[in-house]
Amino acid sequence: MSAKLLMGTGAALLLGPVIAQAATLDDVRERDSLRCGVNAAQPGFSSLDDDDQYRGLDTDVCRAVAAAALGDAEKVQFVPLDSVERFTALQSGEVDLLSRTTTWTSHRDTTMGVNFTGVSYYDGQAFMVASDLGVQSATELDGAAVCTQSGTTSELNLADYFQVNDMEYEAVVFDSPEQSIAGFEAGRCDVLSSDASQLYGQRMHLDNPDSAVVLPEIISKEPLGPAVLQGDDQWFNIVKWSLFAMLNAEEYGITSANVDDMRGSDDPNVARILGKDDNYGEGMGLEADWAYNIIKQVGNYAEVYDRNVGEGSDFNIARGLNALWVDGGIQYAPPIR
């Protein structure tokens, strides 16, 4: 389906399913809440806690955007979506933002009418096998039945990996992570393959986590990040810079605990981030304290990472590639200036 997008006195043809309505920020403010599409049950990234509140790295990205746009990180309506319906929900306007362990790919970025706004978590696809199989490496999986999830990049990655390594496999495809792990536990397959982050979370919820092991090979690049509908540059910038604000805050040592004291810092980088030296939110239609609200109410990137998937969580996943560039990782935010 195509649609015409008027641009000044000329017209351009946008090839894609939809065109974003402009002024998403106005809609969010009129509604006084952000509608954010998330995973229904991926611990560490988006799942319900014991109080039926969504918690996780992806949900904290949603809260950061709400803090920037509305001044209140709790003004979020979380919309649980499966992998098949997530893009349709964004394209139809059911959600303002998609923050659901979604891989940034060329196809999604150029043909689906969406814009990815950054990388909130660098991931990669891996394999989990039953411990009693004695498998030590993915190169030993020739002829295996592999459970995976439909509507994800995992299916293509599997085909590529087994072809390149001249191995055969049988794909056992399910519609949801819950069905995939249930199929693995029931013996429908020898192997479960998905993003490594998801496998660690699923392993934790097995009746006996020691009954399965995640193999060391990472077979793909899976840059996960939030996405918005194309056509609203203001909203695209708000979501993008909300993530960048958390990364910059970590780099300059600004935390939710010290942010009030840091407002008096003599460091001009800190002053700009916290809105004490000019208003760097003005170009996005935001108040000068937009980044202060994010850091105060949600935290910097290290805080978000540690409490959800890092050393402060059950997963204890090392920062690895998700460490800042100054610490040997590849997380890098453009400067606020």
Side-chain angles (χ1 to χ4, degrees):
M1 177 181 178
S2 63
K4 289 185 177 179
L5 176 63
L6 294 180
M7 302 176 65
T9 58
L13 187 64
L14 176 66
L15 298 179
V18 288
I19 299 173
Q21 293 182 355
T24 305
L25 176 61
D26 293 339
D27 293 340
V28 169
R29 284 177 169 167
E30 182 177 356
R31 193 190 311 124
D32 200 31
S33 67
L34 169 72
R35 297 178 304 195
C36 196
V38 296
N39 198 312
Q42 185 167 348
F45 289 84
S46 176
S47 63
L48 290 170
D49 64 14
D50 293 339
D51 297 321
D52 286 334
Q53 299 295 315
Y54 276 101
R55 301 295 174 194
L57 191 150
D58 283 345
T59 60
D60 278 346
V61 171
C62 303
R63 291 185 174 92
V65 175
L70 298 171
D72 188 341
E74 296 307 315
K75 289 186 175 182
V76 184
Q77 299 176 34
F78 292 105
V79 182
L81 302 169
D82 64 32
S83 59
V84 176
E85 65 190 5
R86 55 183 163 176
F87 290 109
T88 302
L90 185 58
Q91 292 161 351
S92 68
E94 181 183 350
V95 297
D96 309 303
L97 165 65
L98 182 66
S99 184
R100 190 200 174 281
T101 51
T102 299
T103 302
W104 185 352
T105 70
S106 62
H107 175 76
R108 291 171 173 174
D109 206 32
T110 61
T111 69
M112 301 187 72
V114 304
N115 278 331
F116 285 83
T117 63
V119 179
S120 55
Y121 188 90
Y122 287 97
D123 207 351
Q125 188 169 335
F127 298 97
M128 184 166 70
V129 301
S131 300
D132 58 15
L133 288 180
V135 172
Q136 302 295 318
S137 168
T139 59
E140 303 172 43
L141 298 178
D142 191 16
V146 183
C147 286
T148 190
Q149 188 180 340
S150 63
T152 69
T153 55
S154 299
E155 293 179 276
L156 178 60
N157 293 335
L158 277 178
D160 289 349
Y161 180 79
F162 279 85
Q163 179 180 339
V164 167
N165 288 279
D166 196 25
M167 298 191 300
E168 301 290 332
Y169 76 104
E170 175 190 354
V172 183
V173 182
F174 296 93
D175 291 332
S176 69
E178 295 81 8
Q179 292 173 350
S180 298
I181 189 64
F184 176 74
E185 284 194 282
R188 296 276 304 277
C189 53
D190 309 302
V191 185
L192 178 61
S193 187
S194 185
D195 292 349
S197 58
Q198 180 164 304
L199 293 180
Y200 283 113
Q202 290 175 315
R203 179 178 176 271
M204 291 290 296
H205 284 76
L206 294 173
D207 290 338
N208 177 16
D210 291 334
S211 66
V213 60
V214 178
L215 299 179
E217 288 87 354
I218 298 295
I219 68 168
S220 70
K221 295 184 293 185
E222 305 295 332
L224 309 179
V228 297
L229 203 58
Q230 290 179 3
D232 189 339
D233 287 347
Q234 180 191 44
W235 187 243
F236 171 71
N237 286 334
I238 290 171
V239 177
K240 175 173 58 178
W241 283 98
S242 293
L243 175 58
F244 290 162
M246 291 191 288
L247 288 165
N248 275 305
E250 179 185 358
E251 183 172 346
Y252 288 101
I254 313 169
T255 71
S256 58
N258 71 16
V259 65
D260 288 316
D261 291 336
M262 292 290 276
R263 296 186 97 175
S265 172
D266 293 330
D267 187 333
N269 295 291
V270 173
R272 285 191 288 265
I273 292 170
L274 298 181
K276 301 303 289 183
D277 180 8
D278 211 344
N279 180 5
Y280 287 88
E282 185 176 9
M284 298 181 285
L286 303 179
E287 300 297 327
D289 62 355
W290 65 279
Y292 166 85
N293 288 332
I294 293 173
I295 301 161
K296 179 68 174 180
Q297 299 177 36
V298 184
N300 66 26
Y301 182 80
E303 293 177 275
V304 169
Y305 187 99
D306 289 345
R307 70 169 167 259
N308 290 305
V309 297
E311 60 185 17
S313 72
D314 293 334
F315 308 103
N316 196 23
I317 301 174
R319 286 287 293 268
L321 293 178
N322 290 291
L324 291 182
W325 66 289
V326 293
D327 297 322
I330 60 175
Q331 281 288 10
Y332 186 110
I336 295 176
R337 63 170 183 258

Coordinates of all heavy atoms in Angstrom, one line a residue, residues 291-330:
A291 N 15.8 16.3 30.7 CA 16.7 15.2 31.0 C 16.8 15.0 32.5 O 17.0 13.9 33.0 CB 18.1 15.5 30.4
Y292 N 16.7 16.1 33.3 CA 16.7 16.0 34.8 C 15.6 15.1 35.2 O 15.8 14.2 36.1 CB 16.6 17.4 35.4 CG 16.2 17.3 36.9 CD1 17.2 17.2 37.8 CD2 14.9 17.4 37.3 CE1 16.9 17.2 39.2 CE2 14.5 17.3 38.6 CZ 15.5 17.2 39.6 OH 15.2 17.2 40.9
N293 N 14.4 15.2 34.6 CA 13.3 14.4 35.0 C 13.5 12.9 34.7 O 13.2 12.1 35.5 CB 12.0 14.9 34.3 CG 11.5 16.2 34.8 OD1 11.7 16.5 35.9 ND2 10.8 16.9 33.9
I294 N 14.2 12.7 33.6 CA 14.5 11.3 33.2 C 15.4 10.7 34.3 O 15.2 9.6 34.8 CB 15.2 11.2 31.9 CG1 14.2 11.6 30.8 CG2 15.7 9.8 31.6 CD1 14.8 11.7 29.4
I295 N 16.5 11.4 34.6 CA 17.5 10.9 35.5 C 17.0 10.7 36.9 O 17.2 9.7 37.6 CB 18.8 11.8 35.5 CG1 19.3 11.8 34.0 CG2 19.9 11.2 36.4 CD1 20.3 13.0 33.8
K296 N 16.3 11.8 37.4 CA 15.7 11.8 38.7 C 14.7 10.6 38.9 O 14.7 9.9 39.9 CB 15.0 13.1 39.0 CG 14.4 13.2 40.4 CD 15.4 13.2 41.5 CE 14.8 13.5 42.9 NZ 15.8 13.5 43.9
Q297 N 13.9 10.4 37.9 CA 12.8 9.5 38.1 C 13.0 8.1 37.6 O 12.5 7.1 38.1 CB 11.5 10.0 37.4 CG 11.0 11.3 37.9 CD 9.8 11.9 37.1 OE1 9.0 11.2 36.7 NE2 9.8 13.2 37.0
V298 N 14.0 7.9 36.6 CA 14.2 6.6 36.1 C 15.7 6.2 36.3 O 16.0 5.0 36.6 CB 14.0 6.6 34.5 CG1 14.2 5.2 34.0 CG2 12.5 7.1 34.2
G299 N 16.6 7.1 36.2 CA 18.0 6.8 36.4 C 18.8 6.9 35.2 O 18.3 7.2 34.1
N300 N 20.2 6.8 35.3 CA 21.0 6.8 34.1 C 21.0 5.4 33.5 O 20.4 4.4 34.1 CB 22.4 7.3 34.4 CG 23.2 6.4 35.4 OD1 23.0 5.2 35.5 ND2 24.1 7.0 36.1
Y301 N 21.7 5.2 32.4 CA 21.7 3.9 31.8 C 22.2 2.8 32.7 O 21.7 1.7 32.7 CB 22.5 3.9 30.5 CG 22.4 2.6 29.7 CD1 21.3 2.3 28.9 CD2 23.5 1.7 29.8 CE1 21.2 1.1 28.2 CE2 23.4 0.5 29.1 CZ 22.3 0.2 28.3 OH 22.2 -1.0 27.6
A302 N 23.3 3.0 33.4 CA 23.9 2.0 34.3 C 22.9 1.6 35.3 O 22.7 0.4 35.6 CB 25.1 2.5 35.0
E303 N 22.1 2.5 35.9 CA 21.1 2.2 36.9 C 20.0 1.3 36.3 O 19.6 0.3 36.9 CB 20.5 3.4 37.5 CG 21.5 4.2 38.4 CD 20.8 5.5 38.9 OE1 20.8 6.5 38.1 OE2 20.3 5.5 40.0
V304 N 19.6 1.7 35.1 CA 18.5 0.9 34.4 C 19.0 -0.5 34.1 O 18.3 -1.5 34.3 CB 18.1 1.7 33.1 CG1 17.2 0.8 32.3 CG2 17.3 2.9 33.5
Y305 N 20.2 -0.6 33.6 CA 20.8 -1.9 33.2 C 21.0 -2.8 34.4 O 20.5 -3.9 34.4 CB 22.2 -1.7 32.5 CG 22.7 -2.9 31.9 CD1 22.6 -3.2 30.6 CD2 23.4 -3.8 32.8 CE1 23.2 -4.4 30.1 CE2 24.0 -5.0 32.3 CZ 23.8 -5.3 30.9 OH 24.3 -6.5 30.4
D306 N 21.6 -2.2 35.5 CA 22.0 -3.1 36.6 C 20.7 -3.6 37.3 O 20.7 -4.8 37.7 CB 22.8 -2.3 37.6 CG 24.2 -2.0 37.1 OD1 24.6 -2.7 36.1 OD2 24.9 -1.1 37.6
R307 N 19.7 -2.8 37.5 CA 18.6 -3.3 38.3 C 17.7 -4.3 37.5 O 17.0 -5.1 38.1 CB 17.7 -2.1 38.8 CG 16.9 -1.4 37.8 CD 15.9 -0.4 38.4 NE 15.4 0.5 37.5 CZ 15.7 1.8 37.4 NH1 16.7 2.3 38.2 NH2 15.2 2.6 36.5
N308 N 17.8 -4.2 36.2 CA 16.9 -5.1 35.4 C 17.6 -6.3 34.9 O 17.0 -7.4 34.9 CB 16.4 -4.3 34.2 CG 15.4 -3.2 34.6 OD1 14.4 -3.6 35.3 ND2 15.6 -2.0 34.2
V309 N 18.8 -6.2 34.4 CA 19.5 -7.4 33.8 C 20.9 -7.6 34.3 O 21.5 -8.6 34.1 CB 19.6 -7.3 32.3 CG1 18.1 -7.4 31.7 CG2 20.3 -6.1 31.8
G310 N 21.5 -6.6 35.0 CA 22.9 -6.6 35.5 C 23.1 -7.2 36.9 O 22.3 -8.0 37.3
E311 N 24.1 -6.7 37.5 CA 24.5 -7.2 38.8 C 23.4 -7.1 39.9 O 23.5 -7.8 40.9 CB 25.8 -6.7 39.3 CG 25.8 -5.1 39.4 CD 27.2 -4.6 39.8 OE1 28.2 -5.3 39.5 OE2 27.2 -3.5 40.2
G312 N 22.5 -6.1 39.8 CA 21.5 -6.0 40.8 C 20.2 -6.8 40.5 O 19.2 -6.7 41.2
S313 N 20.3 -7.7 39.5 CA 19.1 -8.5 39.1 C 19.5 -10.0 39.3 O 20.6 -10.4 39.6 CB 18.8 -8.3 37.6 OG 19.8 -8.8 36.8
D314 N 18.5 -10.9 39.0 CA 18.7 -12.3 39.1 C 19.6 -12.8 37.9 O 20.2 -13.9 38.0 CB 17.4 -13.1 39.1 CG 16.6 -12.8 40.3 OD1 17.2 -12.6 41.4 OD2 15.4 -13.0 40.3
F315 N 19.7 -12.0 36.9 CA 20.4 -12.5 35.7 C 21.9 -12.2 35.7 O 22.7 -13.0 35.2 CB 19.8 -11.8 34.4 CG 18.3 -11.9 34.3 CD1 17.5 -10.9 34.7 CD2 17.7 -13.1 33.9 CE1 16.1 -11.0 34.6 CE2 16.4 -13.2 33.9 CZ 15.6 -12.2 34.2
N316 N 22.3 -11.1 36.3 CA 23.7 -10.8 36.5 C 24.5 -10.9 35.2 O 25.5 -11.4 35.1 CB 24.3 -11.7 37.5 CG 25.7 -11.1 38.0 OD1 25.9 -9.9 38.0 ND2 26.5 -12.0 38.5
I317 N 23.9 -10.3 34.1 CA 24.5 -10.3 32.8 C 25.6 -9.2 32.8 O 25.3 -8.0 33.0 CB 23.5 -10.1 31.7 CG1 22.4 -11.2 31.7 CG2 24.2 -10.1 30.3 CD1 21.3 -11.0 30.7
A318 N 26.8 -9.5 32.5 CA 27.9 -8.6 32.4 C 27.6 -7.5 31.3 O 26.9 -7.8 30.3 CB 29.2 -9.3 32.1
R319 N 28.1 -6.3 31.5 CA 27.8 -5.2 30.6 C 28.3 -5.5 29.2 O 27.6 -5.3 28.2 CB 28.4 -3.9 31.1 CG 27.7 -3.2 32.2 CD 26.4 -2.6 31.9 NE 26.5 -1.4 31.0 CZ 26.6 -0.2 31.4 NH1 26.6 0.1 32.7 NH2 26.8 0.8 30.5
G320 N 29.5 -6.1 29.1 CA 30.0 -6.5 27.7 C 29.9 -5.3 26.7 O 30.4 -4.2 27.0
L321 N 29.3 -5.6 25.6 CA 29.2 -4.6 24.6 C 28.3 -3.4 25.0 O 28.4 -2.3 24.5 CB 28.5 -5.2 23.3 CG 29.3 -6.2 22.5 CD1 28.5 -6.7 21.3 CD2 30.6 -5.6 22.0
N322 N 27.5 -3.6 26.1 CA 26.6 -2.6 26.5 C 27.3 -1.6 27.6 O 26.6 -0.8 28.1 CB 25.3 -3.2 27.1 CG 24.5 -3.8 26.1 OD1 23.9 -3.1 25.3 ND2 24.4 -5.1 26.0
A323 N 28.6 -1.9 27.8 CA 29.3 -0.9 28.6 C 29.6 0.4 27.8 O 29.5 0.3 26.5 CB 30.7 -1.5 29.0
L324 N 29.8 1.5 28.4 CA 30.1 2.7 27.7 C 31.4 2.6 26.9 O 32.2 1.8 27.3 CB 30.2 3.9 28.7 CG 29.0 4.4 29.5 CD1 29.3 5.5 30.3 CD2 27.9 4.7 28.5
W325 N 31.5 3.4 25.9 CA 32.7 3.4 25.1 C 34.0 3.7 25.9 O 35.0 3.1 25.6 CB 32.6 4.4 24.0 CG 32.5 5.9 24.5 CD1 31.5 6.5 25.2 CD2 33.6 6.8 24.3 NE1 31.8 7.8 25.4 CE2 33.1 8.0 24.9 CE3 34.8 6.8 23.8 CZ2 33.8 9.2 25.0 CZ3 35.6 8.0 23.8 CH2 35.1 9.2 24.4
V326 N 33.9 4.4 27.0 CA 35.0 4.7 27.8 C 35.4 3.5 28.7 O 36.5 3.5 29.3 CB 34.8 6.0 28.7 CG1 34.7 7.2 27.8 CG2 33.6 5.8 29.5
D327 N 34.5 2.5 28.8 CA 34.8 1.3 29.6 C 34.9 0.1 28.8 O 34.8 -1.0 29.3 CB 33.6 1.2 30.6 CG 33.5 2.3 31.6 OD1 34.5 2.9 32.0 OD2 32.3 2.7 31.9
G328 N 35.2 0.2 27.5 CA 35.5 -0.9 26.6 C 34.3 -1.5 25.9 O 34.4 -2.5 25.2
G329 N 33.1 -0.9 26.1 CA 31.9 -1.3 25.3 C 31.7 -0.4 24.1 O 32.6 0.3 23.7
I330 N 30.5 -0.5 23.5 CA 30.2 0.3 22.3 C 29.0 1.2 22.5 O 28.5 1.8 21.6 CB 30.0 -0.6 21.1 CG1 28.9 -1.6 21.3 CG2 31.3 -1.4 20.7 CD1 28.6 -2.4 20.0

